[in-house]
Amino acid sequence: MKEKRRKRAADEPAEPPESLPLIPLREAVLFPHALAPLSVGRESSLAALEEASKRGRHILVSAQHDPAVDDVSPEDIYLWGTLTEIEGARRVMGSAQLVLRGISRVRLDRFVRTEPYLEAAYTAVPDVAEEGLNLDALAGSVRDVFESYVGAGAAVPQEAAQAIMRTEAPGALADLAAGAPDLTVEQKQQLLEMPRVEERLRFLLVELGRQKEVLDLKTKIQSEVEGTFGQMQREQILREQLRAIRKELGESPEGGDLDELREKLETVGMPEKVLDKARREMSRLEAMPTISPEHGMLRSYLDWLVGVPWKEPEAAADAWDTRRAKQILDEDHYGLDKVKDRIIEYMAVRERVASLQRESEARAAEGSEGTPPKMARTNRPARSPILCLVGPPGVGKTSLGKSIARALGREVVRVSLGGIRDEAEIRGHRRTYIGALPGRVIQGMRQAGVKNPVFMLDEIDKVGADFRGDPASALLEVLDPEQNREFSDHYLEVPYDLSQVLFITTANIADTIHPALLDRMELIRLPGYTEDEKLHIARRYLVPRQLLEHGLTEKHLAIGDPTLRRIIREYTHEAGVRNLEREIANVARKVPRRLAEGKKRKFVPRPADLEAVLGPPRYDFGLAETEDQVGAVTGVAVNEYGGDVMTVEAIVVPGKGDFTLTGQLGKVMEESARTAWSYARFHAARYEIARERIEDNAVHIHVPAGAIPKDGPSAGVTMCTAIVSALTGRAVRRDVAMTGEITLRGRVLPIGGVKEKILAAHRAGIKTFILPRKNTKDLVDVPEDVKKQLSIVPVEHVEEVLEAALLPRVPGAKLPASVTPISA
Ligand code: ADP
């Protein structure tokens, strides 16, 4: 049947008249055997349709060279077209919807008229199927390719795909497959102008195969992008695609580009081994067709290779001058004397180690030709530890790092490690991944552009680990001077020398730093500032800086101390000065507008004006508690934002001598609550607590904020005091804060974070601070003015705590309702 139709198409072109009206097609080619919808709107085309319908059922179509041309004349169309049969026609308001069936390719011989429609005399061109060729096998291959092309996601309508799968005759198959949506009009026209079946099939075999690859690549890229890759890689992929598209369009002067790349390769100062590899890859790139997807990847790789710094830095590394460094650190930062001293000591040691090392290497190189370099290494002086600045946000860690860089006259780069869980973030992805990139270390080096920058690794306490490998061990390799001479990045593939980089790490808390890293670090703690220190910092640094940033001078704005103090107390609540700086910026922002409104007078906001400028105060300043209460005790805790006070609460409710804990307490904290509870029960008589009061009741302890998990032993004394207060009904002094671990026998053990805790208590207006006696040695870190304003009570036993914190029982007074057992 199919065979017959094909024959008829080829054999009966004589049947229709020799000249026929013609419809020009915009952006379409219609093939014999194909069924195609067509919508006709141009007047000349409608006229052609009308005339053709009058004469019978046949009409000619041919594609326009330029689809934009409206008024088509013979020069505007291809001279190969298609004879078609009108299968259906529907006229709708000045246009017509047609369904045409292609019958045969035709050559247009001459135009018999061009007005009011085109009419052409034509010759039908039958398929040429040469004998002896295995066309069927070729057709089978085309069918297979077409099937996989559809499988790769080509937009072929289902019926069309089925028709192709069913068609056996090679010529018809070729014509149906020629309708593939990803072929261009030019390609289709080429196919239309090929009467030789074999030629058509071969053409399709290549083109469809290529389109399938393109689709596969697209899907692969898409799924990879959506899957495991982040924003950076996504950009990279898009860039690669863009580059491929540009090439396809012939827009990129790739040749010149490559010459430039090769030249860079030779001049950026790579070590010989690296250069060898780069040259090999470069030759591969030059030999590769630009449309190959690998071309883009290889190109990016070489771009990275020339992008990282290789040349030895010009300034010698011994530019460290202690006096100048001290001066710069002082210029940039108020206070922090101990921190600055330690930084300077650290740097001096580091420089000394480095110079000894250089000497010993020079000696090894001189005296021992032929000795392996390993030998020289073992004689090196001890490696210096890695500097780690630890403290809450806004205490100046980053700006200290920048000052160090300034003192050394080096570039500075910052990379945040927060939330990294994948080793590849540090070490990069292998190049075989689509969209692979080097890790953050190499990215940072490229950004720095020199081999010896000060490289700040922020948030080293927030590095995690999961199934994708352990970033901490990769970091260890980065930071270890023994290993980082030949740091290996998976993407770069060649060893990169990091030994001249000065790494400075920062963290909010030391507890969560990976132990292996911690072991190699020299911690310098910045616990936070007192109110007076903040005031100085604001006056000397923050206000002048904000004036500058807002294009103002002292003539426009002055913020006096009382106003600054109110901002510190009521608009910020922090250990550092980050929010303080932000609020000062908020004040400064108002000035340009005042000036624009013609208010030329200097703006000097008083404390009372702040609400109009900054809105209502955000924090209460003053005591954590406003009255002395039973069962409410002020404790202090340290978290990554610095120290803070919190109120531990206890009440007595009917029960069976048990107790309840709430507030998301960790295991250690829970055990310390149990210890406190046992201690209180054991010593009930000493505090005049009746046995029934314990046995018929239960104690409930709550540690706010309830939603935040907390742990650690240092709230032991606080919980014990709350329990005893609740059981005895003795109120707790509201201006007392305390900290300390407690043992079953009531001994008070030392805790950490003393300075942070005392600063937080001082900030909250506490007058008396109860501290484990063993911690009194830590008081040297606490600023004098704070020590003057706080009375610090060193204790060894919880009895002393209770003595200092609990008010005497009011004789004859009844227990407050909240602590009176309902059964009593
Ligand atoms: P961190 O890195 O610890 O979060 P930053 O270094 O970003 O903090 O400091 C926040 C802002 O406070 C910076 O503008 C910094 O210059 C300023 N700052 C912090 N401490 C001081 C100080 N002691 N003297 C002067 N400015 C300071």
Side-chain angles (χ1 to χ4, degrees):
M1 168 69 199
K2 271 175 238 141
E3 199 53 21
K4 223 168 129 196
R5 185 181 293 163
R6 189 173 74 93
K7 268 218 183 89
R8 207 184 73 191
D11 295 350
E12 298 177 14
E15 190 187 286
E18 282 143 41
S19 83
L20 272 176
L22 180 143
I23 298 182
L25 302 178
R26 298 185 204 258
E27 289 199 273
V29 175
L30 185 59
F31 287 92
H33 308 281
L35 206 57
L38 182 69
S39 105
V40 181
R42 279 182 278 192
E43 232 160 80
S44 56
S45 300
L46 287 168
L49 177 63
E50 195 166 326
E51 177 60 27
S53 310
K54 266 190 222 151
R55 295 192 211 167
R57 303 170 53 83
H58 294 99
I59 193 162
L60 296 173
V61 295
S62 171
Q64 291 179 209
H65 294 293
D66 177 359
V69 174
D70 269 334
D71 207 359
V72 181
S73 54
E75 315 74 83
D76 295 324
I77 55 175
Y78 285 103
L79 290 184
W80 283 71
T82 315
L83 171 66
T84 72
E85 190 172 328
I86 304 170
E87 293 253 317
R90 201 156 59 88
R91 268 161 250 263
V92 266
M93 301 210 337
S95 73
Q97 303 294 330
L98 303 183
V99 179
L100 300 180
R101 175 186 296 284
I103 292 178
S104 133
R105 343 178 106 66
V106 295
R107 275 195 57 98
L108 307 179
D109 299 327
R110 78 197 143 78
F111 286 83
V112 287
R113 83 175 78 225
T114 55
E115 291 289 339
Y117 54 88
L118 292 168
E119 177 169 349
Y122 64 92
T123 315
V125 184
D127 276 358
V128 180
E130 277 144 64
E131 297 281 319
L133 274 169
N134 199 347
L135 282 186
D136 285 333
L138 202 52
S141 308
V142 170
R143 201 179 299 112
D144 289 348
V145 173
F146 196 87
E147 191 170 4
S148 60
Y149 163 69
V150 172
V156 179
Q158 204 181 353
E159 312 85 72
Q162 282 168 354
I164 290 165
M165 291 306 134
R166 281 197 310 264
T167 304
E168 272 161 27
L173 174 74
D175 282 340
L176 288 174
D182 292 302
L183 300 182
T184 62
V185 172
E186 286 72 25
Q187 286 174 323
K188 288 183 176 173
Q189 186 65 34
Q190 257 177 296
L191 280 161
L192 189 69
E193 297 181 10
M194 288 179 193
R196 284 183 56 218
V197 176
E198 186 209 352
E199 198 184 350
R200 294 213 295 273
L201 288 171
R202 288 197 189 280
F203 185 101
L204 283 165
L205 208 53
V206 174
E207 271 316 313
L208 291 176
R210 193 150 85 168
Q211 294 304 336
K212 175 198 175 281
E213 301 257 294
V214 171
L215 288 174
D216 278 349
L217 189 68
K218 264 195 204 157
T219 333
K220 189 169 168 209
I221 290 175
Q222 214 126 33
S223 68
E224 300 237 21
V225 174
E226 280 161 14
T228 43
F229 292 95
Q231 185 61 28
M232 295 268 270
Q233 277 100 339
R234 203 173 311 222
E235 268 173 32
Q236 178 90 351
I237 290 162
L238 291 176
R239 256 191 220 115
E240 266 167 34
Q241 282 182 335
L242 192 68
R243 197 175 291 148
I245 290 168
R246 285 233 177 93
K247 261 175 237 149
E248 193 89 333
L249 296 174
E251 279 181 9
S252 134
E254 186 69 24
D257 247 23
L258 287 189
D259 290 346
E260 209 174 284
L261 186 62
R262 189 174 262 285
E263 194 187 317
K264 267 198 206 151
L265 217 70
E266 300 294 336
T267 53
V268 291
M270 296 176 184
E272 206 50 45
K273 254 206 213 137
V274 179
L275 190 58
D276 271 355
K277 178 171 172 83
R279 283 186 185 138
R280 271 202 310 277
E281 298 285 349
M282 187 72 214
S283 309
R284 227 156 61 82
L285 180 70
E286 283 164 339
M288 199 176 280
T290 46
I291 44 164
S292 147
E294 215 191 319
H295 187 277
M297 293 186 212
L298 194 51
R299 174 71 212 245
S300 313
Y301 172 71
L302 284 163
D303 280 341
W304 270 103
L305 218 48
V306 299
V308 288
W310 295 102
K311 283 208 173 88
E312 286 307 312
E314 280 166 21
D318 45 21
W320 181 253
D321 170 351
T322 302
R323 283 246 305 282
R324 205 176 100 78
K326 174 94 174 82
Q327 196 184 333
I328 287 179
L329 286 176
D330 283 341
E331 244 168 62
D332 294 348
H333 299 91
Y334 172 83
L336 298 176
D337 292 337
K338 270 179 107 178
V339 172
K340 291 175 191 164
D341 282 350
R342 287 204 44 204
I343 290 178
I344 284 172
E345 280 160 20
Y346 169 88
M347 288 302 301
V349 171
R350 194 189 130 94
E351 289 304 317
R352 172 111 189 98
V353 168
S355 76
L356 284 179
Q357 188 171 315
R358 276 194 295 275
E359 268 169 38
S360 87
E361 266 173 13
R363 223 176 304 126
E366 255 170 42
S368 56
E369 238 118 279
T371 330
K374 275 251 154 53
M375 286 286 288
R377 289 222 179 142
T378 49
N379 296 334
R380 270 205 211 146
R383 54 194 180 178
S384 53
I386 305 139
L387 195 60
C388 182
L389 304 172
V390 185
V395 292
K397 301 183 293 295
T398 312
S399 72
L400 279 170
K402 287 186 185 157
S403 289
I404 295 175
R406 190 153 84 89
L408 286 167
R410 298 206 204 168
E411 295 293 321
V412 64
V413 276
R414 271 178 76 193
V415 164
S416 173
L417 302 175
I420 287 190
R421 328 197 113 259
D422 183 355
E423 193 195 347
E425 297 267 5
I426 304 289
R427 227 191 248 294
H429 285 283
R430 293 195 187 282
R431 256 203 292 159
T432 42
Y433 276 93
I434 295 212
L437 274 184
R440 295 198 193 187
V441 175
I442 292 297
Q443 291 186 19
M445 291 310 292
R446 177 164 168 171
Q447 199 188 329
V450 289
K451 266 184 90 177
N452 65 347
V454 171
F455 200 128
M456 298 200 69
L457 291 163
D458 285 344
E459 304 199 302
I460 197 150
D461 52 337
K462 308 229 171 30
V463 173
D466 66 10
F467 61 96
R468 286 169 294 184
D470 183 0
S473 61
L475 269 177
L476 215 55
E477 188 187 322
V478 170
L479 295 171
D480 184 351
E482 290 286 303
Q483 297 181 52
N484 72 8
R485 253 163 210 274
E486 303 210 325
F487 172 66
S488 71
D489 182 281
H490 288 329
Y491 181 84
L492 224 50
E493 288 176 358
V494 292
Y496 188 82
D497 178 8
L498 293 171
S499 64
Q500 298 186 47
V501 178
L502 170 58
F503 286 103
I504 298 181
T505 60
T506 77
N508 288 139
I509 35 175
D511 302 2
T512 53
I513 300 178
H514 193 283
L517 285 170
L518 198 59
D519 196 43
R520 297 273 298 105
M521 281 177 173
E522 166 135 352
L523 297 188
I524 297 187
R525 291 180 196 268
L526 294 89
Y529 298 114
T530 65
E531 190 179 299
D532 283 339
E533 285 172 329
K534 287 182 188 174
L535 194 65
H536 276 108
I537 294 174
R539 207 192 300 141
R540 296 242 303 263
Y541 296 88
L542 308 183
V543 174
R545 184 156 55 222
Q546 288 309 319
L547 284 178
L548 201 68
E549 278 185 13
H550 288 81
L552 304 170
T553 68
E554 281 150 20
K555 276 196 219 111
H556 302 110
L557 171 70
I559 311 181
D561 284 0
T563 310
L564 284 174
R565 213 178 269 279
R566 181 158 188 224
I567 297 179
I568 294 169
R569 287 182 172 180
E570 295 181 36
Y571 289 87
T572 67
H573 186 79
E574 59 180 350
V577 292
R578 192 170 286 176
N579 290 323
L580 177 58
E581 182 161 20
R582 203 167 295 152
E583 295 299 339
I584 291 172
N586 283 341
V587 175
R589 199 167 304 139
K590 302 287 185 264
V591 180
R593 173 153 174 204
R594 286 172 57 92
L595 289 174
E597 284 168 358
K599 296 179 186 156
K600 293 269 172 333
R601 276 207 10 238
K602 180 172 175 175
F603 184 37
V604 189
R606 288 161 302 157
D609 299 334
L610 281 179
E611 275 168 60
V613 182
L614 298 177
R618 277 186 268 289
Y619 303 97
D620 283 338
F621 177 76
L623 285 180
E625 291 299 322
T626 48
E627 51 183 312
D628 303 332
Q629 285 183 57
V630 172
V633 188
T634 305
V636 261
V638 178
N639 58 28
E640 56 194 86
Y641 301 106
D644 205 354
V645 297
M646 60 178 184
T647 304
V648 173
E649 301 166 328
I651 58 167
V652 177
V653 292
K656 292 202 175 67
D658 41 3
F659 89 139
T660 318
L661 278 173
T662 54
Q664 292 211 48
L665 313 187
K667 223 170 172 60
V668 178
M669 200 157 181
E670 197 181 311
E671 281 172 5
S672 112
R674 269 178 205 289
T675 310
W677 172 231
S678 298
Y679 174 84
R681 282 197 344 177
F682 191 77
H683 295 284
R686 179 184 302 171
Y687 300 109
E688 298 171 25
I689 303 167
R691 200 137 286 286
E692 312 83 68
R693 187 151 167 79
I694 293 176
E695 275 159 18
D696 301 340
N697 293 297
V699 172
H700 181 161
I701 301 174
H702 179 69
V703 185
I708 300 166
K710 36 197 118 35
D711 205 0
S714 71
V717 292
T718 322
M719 291 191 284
C720 187
T721 308
I723 294 169
V724 173
S725 163
L727 287 173
T728 57
R730 287 170 67 182
V732 185
R733 284 173 51 191
R734 69 199 157 116
D735 58 356
V736 172
M738 60 184 69
T739 181
E741 180 172 351
I742 182 182
T743 72
L744 260 186
R745 287 176 297 152
R747 285 184 39 232
V748 178
L749 304 182
I751 42 71
V754 171
K755 183 173 176 193
E756 287 92 335
K757 288 176 175 175
I758 291 184
L759 290 186
H762 178 251
R763 213 162 41 233
I766 294 291
K767 297 282 179 301
T768 304
F769 194 91
I770 299 176
L771 184 74
R773 185 174 292 279
K774 287 233 169 74
N775 279 121
T776 44
K777 63 174 183 348
D778 300 321
L779 288 173
V780 289
D781 292 337
V782 178
E784 284 307 320
D785 58 323
V786 172
K787 279 192 272 193
K788 257 187 235 141
Q789 290 166 41
L790 264 184
S791 126
I792 291 171
V793 181
V795 294
E796 276 170 41
H797 197 275
V798 74
E799 252 181 74
E800 299 165 71
V801 177
L802 297 170
E803 184 70 19
L806 295 182
L807 291 168
R809 199 196 300 260
V810 185
K814 273 177 64 182
L815 293 181
S818 68
V819 294
T820 311
I822 299 159
S823 59

